[in-house]
Amino acid sequence: LNSERGHAMLNLALTNSVLLFFSSSPLEGSGPLRPVFTKQPGSIVFPLHLNEPSREVTFSCEAQGHPPPSYRWKINDSFILPQPGSRYSISGGNLRISQLNKEEDSGIYQCLASNSFGTILSREASLHIAYLEEFKTQRRSPVSVREGQGVVLLCGPPAHMGELTFSWIFNEYPSFVKQDTRRFVSQKTGNLYIAKVEPSDVGNYTCVVTNSVTQSRVQGPPTPLVLRSDGVMGEYEPKIEIQFPEVVAVAKGLTVKLECFALGK
Ligand SMILES: *[C@@H]1O[C@H](CO)[C@@H](O)[C@H](O)[C@H]1NC(C)=O
Ligand SMILES: *[C@@H]1O[C@H](CO)[C@@H](O)[C@H](O)[C@H]1NC(C)=O
């Protein structure tokens, strides 16, 4: 009995392998059965210019398989449904998003490629939308100091995404505050520090904010600096107003800038 069964199994195995051989041969050269990515999406930083009409991005995705795969996309783990007339369209495996919107479109994207043999999920690609809004405040109250006193003028930059750089206009453009041992503009906060005020410092100060990704630039409301008339500040010890953090993580090869500035006379 054992040998008979063994014989039957051998027959079955032979038949199977013959069948497999014939059924797989027409597919030879037509690539893998299960989808395999040939292109995966990469992360995108989109510079949003507020008055620019064409705001669209395309994430690419391509896979091979037999039968040819169909594609779907996810944002933050929920499926995107590209209905007619919606801002999404999928052509091939690529996802195009038009009329970009920083609230609805920022997130993590992934492409899925499926056929009857299975589904594969691409790596994660992020979409960051860099922007810089206008200042909301219209007016700033005057800052009143004694001659010789130290002062900090706050920039308070508007909502943004992307790295900012700061400068200050003194009275009228294009007269910018020059930095020296007495005056300092923090590139972390945008604030202007004057170690000890001199009569020539009296005037209007306007913070100028530039987004280094979008290259857009906005101005805050001017802050008037006025001198108090009740005397001159005597000498006093330095007081550190800006100090760098205890730990600064930085990638090898990059430039690091540690800010330090003190008020004093
Ligand atoms: C996706 O997740 C990120 C991080 O939590 C969030 O900032 C973003 O608004 C989300 N995007 C959408 C469209 O939900
Ligand atoms: C500062 O701005 C105010 C209001 O615009 C103006 O009246 C004043 O003359 C300016 N001061 C200087 C020194 O430019």
PDB file of all heavy atoms in Angstrom, residues 6-36:
ATOM      1  N   GLY A   6       3.097   5.941  -2.567  1.00  0.00           N
ATOM      2  CA  GLY A   6       4.304   6.672  -2.959  1.00  0.00           C
ATOM      3  C   GLY A   6       4.351   6.866  -4.464  1.00  0.00           C
ATOM      4  O   GLY A   6       4.669   7.936  -4.954  1.00  0.00           O
ATOM      5  N   HIS A   7       3.960   5.872  -5.161  1.00  0.00           N
ATOM      6  CA  HIS A   7       3.961   5.913  -6.609  1.00  0.00           C
ATOM      7  C   HIS A   7       2.968   6.970  -7.109  1.00  0.00           C
ATOM      8  O   HIS A   7       3.296   7.794  -7.959  1.00  0.00           O
ATOM      9  CB  HIS A   7       3.590   4.525  -7.149  1.00  0.00           C
ATOM     10  CG  HIS A   7       3.789   4.381  -8.610  1.00  0.00           C
ATOM     11  ND1 HIS A   7       5.056   4.247  -9.173  1.00  0.00           N
ATOM     12  CD2 HIS A   7       2.914   4.361  -9.640  1.00  0.00           C
ATOM     13  CE1 HIS A   7       4.941   4.163 -10.474  1.00  0.00           C
ATOM     14  NE2 HIS A   7       3.650   4.224 -10.796  1.00  0.00           N
ATOM     15  N   ALA A   8       1.777   6.916  -6.500  1.00  0.00           N
ATOM     16  CA  ALA A   8       0.733   7.868  -6.897  1.00  0.00           C
ATOM     17  C   ALA A   8       1.196   9.297  -6.651  1.00  0.00           C
ATOM     18  O   ALA A   8       0.990  10.180  -7.469  1.00  0.00           O
ATOM     19  CB  ALA A   8      -0.537   7.593  -6.118  1.00  0.00           C
ATOM     20  N   MET A   9       1.851   9.515  -5.510  1.00  0.00           N
ATOM     21  CA  MET A   9       2.308  10.863  -5.193  1.00  0.00           C
ATOM     22  C   MET A   9       3.348  11.332  -6.198  1.00  0.00           C
ATOM     23  O   MET A   9       3.338  12.474  -6.618  1.00  0.00           O
ATOM     24  CB  MET A   9       2.897  10.924  -3.778  1.00  0.00           C
ATOM     25  CG  MET A   9       1.822  11.106  -2.727  1.00  0.00           C
ATOM     26  SD  MET A   9       2.469  10.880  -1.093  1.00  0.00           S
ATOM     27  CE  MET A   9       3.413  12.368  -0.925  1.00  0.00           C
ATOM     28  N   LEU A  10       4.215  10.434  -6.553  1.00  0.00           N
ATOM     29  CA  LEU A  10       5.243  10.786  -7.518  1.00  0.00           C
ATOM     30  C   LEU A  10       4.597  11.204  -8.840  1.00  0.00           C
ATOM     31  O   LEU A  10       4.962  12.206  -9.437  1.00  0.00           O
ATOM     32  CB  LEU A  10       6.164   9.577  -7.741  1.00  0.00           C
ATOM     33  CG  LEU A  10       7.330   9.812  -8.695  1.00  0.00           C
ATOM     34  CD1 LEU A  10       8.298  10.812  -8.058  1.00  0.00           C
ATOM     35  CD2 LEU A  10       8.045   8.508  -9.007  1.00  0.00           C
ATOM     36  N   ASN A  11       3.567  10.433  -9.233  1.00  0.00           N
ATOM     37  CA  ASN A  11       2.833  10.764 -10.456  1.00  0.00           C
ATOM     38  C   ASN A  11       2.239  12.170 -10.401  1.00  0.00           C
ATOM     39  O   ASN A  11       2.367  12.946 -11.325  1.00  0.00           O
ATOM     40  CB  ASN A  11       1.678   9.771 -10.647  1.00  0.00           C
ATOM     41  CG  ASN A  11       2.008   8.778 -11.744  1.00  0.00           C
ATOM     42  OD1 ASN A  11       2.906   9.044 -12.539  1.00  0.00           O
ATOM     43  ND2 ASN A  11       1.309   7.653 -11.763  1.00  0.00           N
ATOM     44  N   LEU A  12       1.598  12.431  -9.254  1.00  0.00           N
ATOM     45  CA  LEU A  12       0.938  13.719  -9.063  1.00  0.00           C
ATOM     46  C   LEU A  12       1.969  14.852  -9.168  1.00  0.00           C
ATOM     47  O   LEU A  12       1.747  15.852  -9.846  1.00  0.00           O
ATOM     48  CB  LEU A  12       0.276  13.735  -7.688  1.00  0.00           C
ATOM     49  CG  LEU A  12      -0.789  14.802  -7.496  1.00  0.00           C
ATOM     50  CD1 LEU A  12      -1.981  14.498  -8.394  1.00  0.00           C
ATOM     51  CD2 LEU A  12      -1.207  14.856  -6.035  1.00  0.00           C
ATOM     52  N   ALA A  13       3.089  14.599  -8.491  1.00  0.00           N
ATOM     53  CA  ALA A  13       4.137  15.627  -8.493  1.00  0.00           C
ATOM     54  C   ALA A  13       4.630  15.865  -9.912  1.00  0.00           C
ATOM     55  O   ALA A  13       4.785  17.016 -10.338  1.00  0.00           O
ATOM     56  CB  ALA A  13       5.294  15.205  -7.599  1.00  0.00           C
ATOM     57  N   LEU A  14       4.806  14.810 -10.636  1.00  0.00           N
ATOM     58  CA  LEU A  14       5.273  14.935 -12.021  1.00  0.00           C
ATOM     59  C   LEU A  14       4.266  15.718 -12.859  1.00  0.00           C
ATOM     60  O   LEU A  14       4.624  16.633 -13.581  1.00  0.00           O
ATOM     61  CB  LEU A  14       5.484  13.548 -12.631  1.00  0.00           C
ATOM     62  CG  LEU A  14       6.869  12.947 -12.435  1.00  0.00           C
ATOM     63  CD1 LEU A  14       6.923  11.523 -12.992  1.00  0.00           C
ATOM     64  CD2 LEU A  14       7.913  13.819 -13.117  1.00  0.00           C
ATOM     65  N   THR A  15       2.971  15.307 -12.694  1.00  0.00           N
ATOM     66  CA  THR A  15       1.922  15.980 -13.467  1.00  0.00           C
ATOM     67  C   THR A  15       1.918  17.469 -13.154  1.00  0.00           C
ATOM     68  O   THR A  15       1.873  18.311 -14.038  1.00  0.00           O
ATOM     69  CB  THR A  15       0.546  15.394 -13.104  1.00  0.00           C
ATOM     70  OG1 THR A  15       0.688  13.990 -13.019  1.00  0.00           O
ATOM     71  CG2 THR A  15      -0.488  15.770 -14.126  1.00  0.00           C
ATOM     72  N   ASN A  16       2.012  17.785 -11.847  1.00  0.00           N
ATOM     73  CA  ASN A  16       2.015  19.184 -11.435  1.00  0.00           C
ATOM     74  C   ASN A  16       3.153  19.961 -12.071  1.00  0.00           C
ATOM     75  O   ASN A  16       2.963  21.056 -12.575  1.00  0.00           O
ATOM     76  CB  ASN A  16       2.138  19.285  -9.915  1.00  0.00           C
ATOM     77  CG  ASN A  16       0.758  19.335  -9.281  1.00  0.00           C
ATOM     78  OD1 ASN A  16      -0.220  19.505 -10.002  1.00  0.00           O
ATOM     79  ND2 ASN A  16       0.713  19.172  -7.983  1.00  0.00           N
ATOM     80  N   SER A  17       4.314  19.360 -12.005  1.00  0.00           N
ATOM     81  CA  SER A  17       5.461  20.107 -12.511  1.00  0.00           C
ATOM     82  C   SER A  17       5.365  20.300 -14.020  1.00  0.00           C
ATOM     83  O   SER A  17       5.727  21.340 -14.531  1.00  0.00           O
ATOM     84  CB  SER A  17       6.779  19.423 -12.123  1.00  0.00           C
ATOM     85  OG  SER A  17       6.928  18.256 -12.891  1.00  0.00           O
ATOM     86  N   VAL A  18       4.800  19.292 -14.678  1.00  0.00           N
ATOM     87  CA  VAL A  18       4.605  19.434 -16.126  1.00  0.00           C
ATOM     88  C   VAL A  18       3.606  20.546 -16.402  1.00  0.00           C
ATOM     89  O   VAL A  18       3.838  21.436 -17.211  1.00  0.00           O
ATOM     90  CB  VAL A  18       4.132  18.092 -16.741  1.00  0.00           C
ATOM     91  CG1 VAL A  18       3.625  18.300 -18.161  1.00  0.00           C
ATOM     92  CG2 VAL A  18       5.266  17.084 -16.723  1.00  0.00           C
ATOM     93  N   LEU A  19       2.496  20.514 -15.635  1.00  0.00           N
ATOM     94  CA  LEU A  19       1.473  21.560 -15.801  1.00  0.00           C
ATOM     95  C   LEU A  19       2.065  22.946 -15.550  1.00  0.00           C
ATOM     96  O   LEU A  19       1.852  23.876 -16.303  1.00  0.00           O
ATOM     97  CB  LEU A  19       0.320  21.313 -14.825  1.00  0.00           C
ATOM     98  CG  LEU A  19      -0.736  20.330 -15.317  1.00  0.00           C
ATOM     99  CD1 LEU A  19      -1.767  20.093 -14.212  1.00  0.00           C
ATOM    100  CD2 LEU A  19      -1.402  20.843 -16.593  1.00  0.00           C
ATOM    101  N   LEU A  20       2.807  23.035 -14.431  1.00  0.00           N
ATOM    102  CA  LEU A  20       3.424  24.318 -14.081  1.00  0.00           C
ATOM    103  C   LEU A  20       4.345  24.804 -15.188  1.00  0.00           C
ATOM    104  O   LEU A  20       4.354  25.969 -15.523  1.00  0.00           O
ATOM    105  CB  LEU A  20       4.229  24.187 -12.786  1.00  0.00           C
ATOM    106  CG  LEU A  20       3.464  24.520 -11.512  1.00  0.00           C
ATOM    107  CD1 LEU A  20       4.340  24.266 -10.307  1.00  0.00           C
ATOM    108  CD2 LEU A  20       2.966  25.962 -11.561  1.00  0.00           C
ATOM    109  N   PHE A  21       5.082  23.873 -15.691  1.00  0.00           N
ATOM    110  CA  PHE A  21       6.031  24.220 -16.755  1.00  0.00           C
ATOM    111  C   PHE A  21       5.303  24.856 -17.931  1.00  0.00           C
ATOM    112  O   PHE A  21       5.639  25.932 -18.384  1.00  0.00           O
ATOM    113  CB  PHE A  21       6.812  22.982 -17.202  1.00  0.00           C
ATOM    114  CG  PHE A  21       7.726  23.273 -18.349  1.00  0.00           C
ATOM    115  CD1 PHE A  21       8.926  23.935 -18.140  1.00  0.00           C
ATOM    116  CD2 PHE A  21       7.385  22.903 -19.648  1.00  0.00           C
ATOM    117  CE1 PHE A  21       9.771  24.231 -19.198  1.00  0.00           C
ATOM    118  CE2 PHE A  21       8.220  23.198 -20.703  1.00  0.00           C
ATOM    119  CZ  PHE A  21       9.412  23.851 -20.484  1.00  0.00           C
ATOM    120  N   PHE A  22       4.203  24.211 -18.336  1.00  0.00           N
ATOM    121  CA  PHE A  22       3.494  24.733 -19.512  1.00  0.00           C
ATOM    122  C   PHE A  22       2.762  26.037 -19.203  1.00  0.00           C
ATOM    123  O   PHE A  22       2.732  26.947 -20.000  1.00  0.00           O
ATOM    124  CB  PHE A  22       2.517  23.689 -20.077  1.00  0.00           C
ATOM    125  CG  PHE A  22       3.220  22.673 -20.907  1.00  0.00           C
ATOM    126  CD1 PHE A  22       3.318  21.335 -20.528  1.00  0.00           C
ATOM    127  CD2 PHE A  22       3.837  23.078 -22.097  1.00  0.00           C
ATOM    128  CE1 PHE A  22       3.995  20.418 -21.296  1.00  0.00           C
ATOM    129  CE2 PHE A  22       4.523  22.156 -22.866  1.00  0.00           C
ATOM    130  CZ  PHE A  22       4.605  20.821 -22.455  1.00  0.00           C
ATOM    131  N   SER A  23       2.200  26.099 -17.981  1.00  0.00           N
ATOM    132  CA  SER A  23       1.418  27.307 -17.700  1.00  0.00           C
ATOM    133  C   SER A  23       2.339  28.509 -17.436  1.00  0.00           C
ATOM    134  O   SER A  23       1.935  29.628 -17.642  1.00  0.00           O
ATOM    135  CB  SER A  23       0.490  27.088 -16.508  1.00  0.00           C
ATOM    136  OG  SER A  23       1.268  26.983 -15.340  1.00  0.00           O
ATOM    137  N   SER A  24       3.575  28.258 -17.004  1.00  0.00           N
ATOM    138  CA  SER A  24       4.440  29.403 -16.735  1.00  0.00           C
ATOM    139  C   SER A  24       5.202  29.841 -17.979  1.00  0.00           C
ATOM    140  O   SER A  24       5.601  30.973 -18.083  1.00  0.00           O
ATOM    141  CB  SER A  24       5.415  29.097 -15.596  1.00  0.00           C
ATOM    142  OG  SER A  24       6.375  28.163 -16.053  1.00  0.00           O
ATOM    143  N   SER A  25       5.347  28.953 -18.946  1.00  0.00           N
ATOM    144  CA  SER A  25       6.198  29.324 -20.080  1.00  0.00           C
ATOM    145  C   SER A  25       5.686  30.504 -20.912  1.00  0.00           C
ATOM    146  O   SER A  25       6.487  31.325 -21.329  1.00  0.00           O
ATOM    147  CB  SER A  25       6.452  28.111 -20.980  1.00  0.00           C
ATOM    148  OG  SER A  25       5.260  27.705 -21.591  1.00  0.00           O
ATOM    149  N   PRO A  26       4.357  30.673 -21.102  1.00  0.00           N
ATOM    150  CA  PRO A  26       3.945  31.829 -21.906  1.00  0.00           C
ATOM    151  C   PRO A  26       4.266  33.170 -21.229  1.00  0.00           C
ATOM    152  O   PRO A  26       4.257  34.203 -21.873  1.00  0.00           O
ATOM    153  CB  PRO A  26       2.418  31.668 -22.023  1.00  0.00           C
ATOM    154  CG  PRO A  26       2.141  30.275 -21.619  1.00  0.00           C
ATOM    155  CD  PRO A  26       3.213  29.892 -20.670  1.00  0.00           C
ATOM    156  N   LEU A  27       4.530  33.139 -19.904  1.00  0.00           N
ATOM    157  CA  LEU A  27       4.803  34.379 -19.175  1.00  0.00           C
ATOM    158  C   LEU A  27       6.274  34.755 -19.200  1.00  0.00           C
ATOM    159  O   LEU A  27       6.635  35.836 -18.778  1.00  0.00           O
ATOM    160  CB  LEU A  27       4.376  34.224 -17.712  1.00  0.00           C
ATOM    161  CG  LEU A  27       2.862  34.139 -17.479  1.00  0.00           C
ATOM    162  CD1 LEU A  27       2.599  34.019 -15.994  1.00  0.00           C
ATOM    163  CD2 LEU A  27       2.182  35.373 -18.041  1.00  0.00           C
ATOM    164  N   GLU A  28       7.098  33.880 -19.655  1.00  0.00           N
ATOM    165  CA  GLU A  28       8.537  34.153 -19.577  1.00  0.00           C
ATOM    166  C   GLU A  28       8.874  35.444 -20.306  1.00  0.00           C
ATOM    167  O   GLU A  28       8.367  35.715 -21.384  1.00  0.00           O
ATOM    168  CB  GLU A  28       9.340  32.993 -20.162  1.00  0.00           C
ATOM    169  CG  GLU A  28       9.908  32.123 -19.056  1.00  0.00           C
ATOM    170  CD  GLU A  28      10.446  30.805 -19.557  1.00  0.00           C
ATOM    171  OE1 GLU A  28      10.941  30.790 -20.696  1.00  0.00           O
ATOM    172  OE2 GLU A  28      10.367  29.817 -18.807  1.00  0.00           O
ATOM    173  N   GLY A  29       9.681  36.292 -19.627  1.00  0.00           N
ATOM    174  CA  GLY A  29      10.084  37.548 -20.227  1.00  0.00           C
ATOM    175  C   GLY A  29       9.085  38.663 -19.975  1.00  0.00           C
ATOM    176  O   GLY A  29       9.350  39.806 -20.293  1.00  0.00           O
ATOM    177  N   SER A  30       7.947  38.376 -19.377  1.00  0.00           N
ATOM    178  CA  SER A  30       6.965  39.437 -19.142  1.00  0.00           C
ATOM    179  C   SER A  30       7.077  39.981 -17.721  1.00  0.00           C
ATOM    180  O   SER A  30       6.200  40.649 -17.241  1.00  0.00           O
ATOM    181  CB  SER A  30       5.555  38.939 -19.408  1.00  0.00           C
ATOM    182  OG  SER A  30       5.212  37.983 -18.430  1.00  0.00           O
ATOM    183  N   GLY A  31       8.177  39.699 -17.011  1.00  0.00           N
ATOM    184  CA  GLY A  31       8.444  40.313 -15.711  1.00  0.00           C
ATOM    185  C   GLY A  31       7.777  39.577 -14.594  1.00  0.00           C
ATOM    186  O   GLY A  31       7.173  38.523 -14.797  1.00  0.00           O
ATOM    187  N   PRO A  32       7.865  40.172 -13.405  1.00  0.00           N
ATOM    188  CA  PRO A  32       7.348  39.497 -12.216  1.00  0.00           C
ATOM    189  C   PRO A  32       5.824  39.444 -12.237  1.00  0.00           C
ATOM    190  O   PRO A  32       5.184  40.219 -12.938  1.00  0.00           O
ATOM    191  CB  PRO A  32       7.842  40.381 -11.077  1.00  0.00           C
ATOM    192  CG  PRO A  32       8.081  41.709 -11.700  1.00  0.00           C
ATOM    193  CD  PRO A  32       8.434  41.466 -13.120  1.00  0.00           C
ATOM    194  N   LEU A  33       5.282  38.535 -11.494  1.00  0.00           N
ATOM    195  CA  LEU A  33       3.838  38.421 -11.382  1.00  0.00           C
ATOM    196  C   LEU A  33       3.319  39.425 -10.363  1.00  0.00           C
ATOM    197  O   LEU A  33       2.471  40.243 -10.645  1.00  0.00           O
ATOM    198  CB  LEU A  33       3.481  36.996 -10.949  1.00  0.00           C
ATOM    199  CG  LEU A  33       3.918  35.907 -11.923  1.00  0.00           C
ATOM    200  CD1 LEU A  33       3.877  34.545 -11.253  1.00  0.00           C
ATOM    201  CD2 LEU A  33       3.023  35.938 -13.156  1.00  0.00           C
ATOM    202  N   ARG A  34       3.887  39.343  -9.167  1.00  0.00           N
ATOM    203  CA  ARG A  34       3.523  40.239  -8.085  1.00  0.00           C
ATOM    204  C   ARG A  34       4.097  41.625  -8.423  1.00  0.00           C
ATOM    205  O   ARG A  34       5.178  41.718  -8.985  1.00  0.00           O
ATOM    206  CB  ARG A  34       4.204  39.697  -6.824  1.00  0.00           C
ATOM    207  CG  ARG A  34       3.549  40.066  -5.559  1.00  0.00           C
ATOM    208  CD  ARG A  34       4.185  39.231  -4.429  1.00  0.00           C
ATOM    209  NE  ARG A  34       3.662  39.687  -3.165  1.00  0.00           N
ATOM    210  CZ  ARG A  34       4.192  40.672  -2.491  1.00  0.00           C
ATOM    211  NH1 ARG A  34       5.287  41.262  -2.924  1.00  0.00           N
ATOM    212  NH2 ARG A  34       3.646  41.059  -1.355  1.00  0.00           N
ATOM    213  N   PRO A  35       3.398  42.717  -8.097  1.00  0.00           N
ATOM    214  CA  PRO A  35       3.949  44.036  -8.425  1.00  0.00           C
ATOM    215  C   PRO A  35       5.296  44.286  -7.716  1.00  0.00           C
ATOM    216  O   PRO A  35       5.480  43.855  -6.580  1.00  0.00           O
ATOM    217  CB  PRO A  35       2.898  45.022  -7.903  1.00  0.00           C
ATOM    218  CG  PRO A  35       1.659  44.230  -7.705  1.00  0.00           C
ATOM    219  CD  PRO A  35       2.084  42.819  -7.446  1.00  0.00           C
ATOM    220  N   VAL A  36       6.192  44.961  -8.424  1.00  0.00           N
ATOM    221  CA  VAL A  36       7.495  45.365  -7.868  1.00  0.00           C
ATOM    222  C   VAL A  36       7.686  46.827  -8.259  1.00  0.00           C
ATOM    223  O   VAL A  36       7.493  47.185  -9.421  1.00  0.00           O
ATOM    224  CB  VAL A  36       8.638  44.496  -8.458  1.00  0.00           C
ATOM    225  CG1 VAL A  36       9.995  45.048  -8.034  1.00  0.00           C
ATOM    226  CG2 VAL A  36       8.503  43.052  -8.033  1.00  0.00           C
TER     227      VAL A  36
END
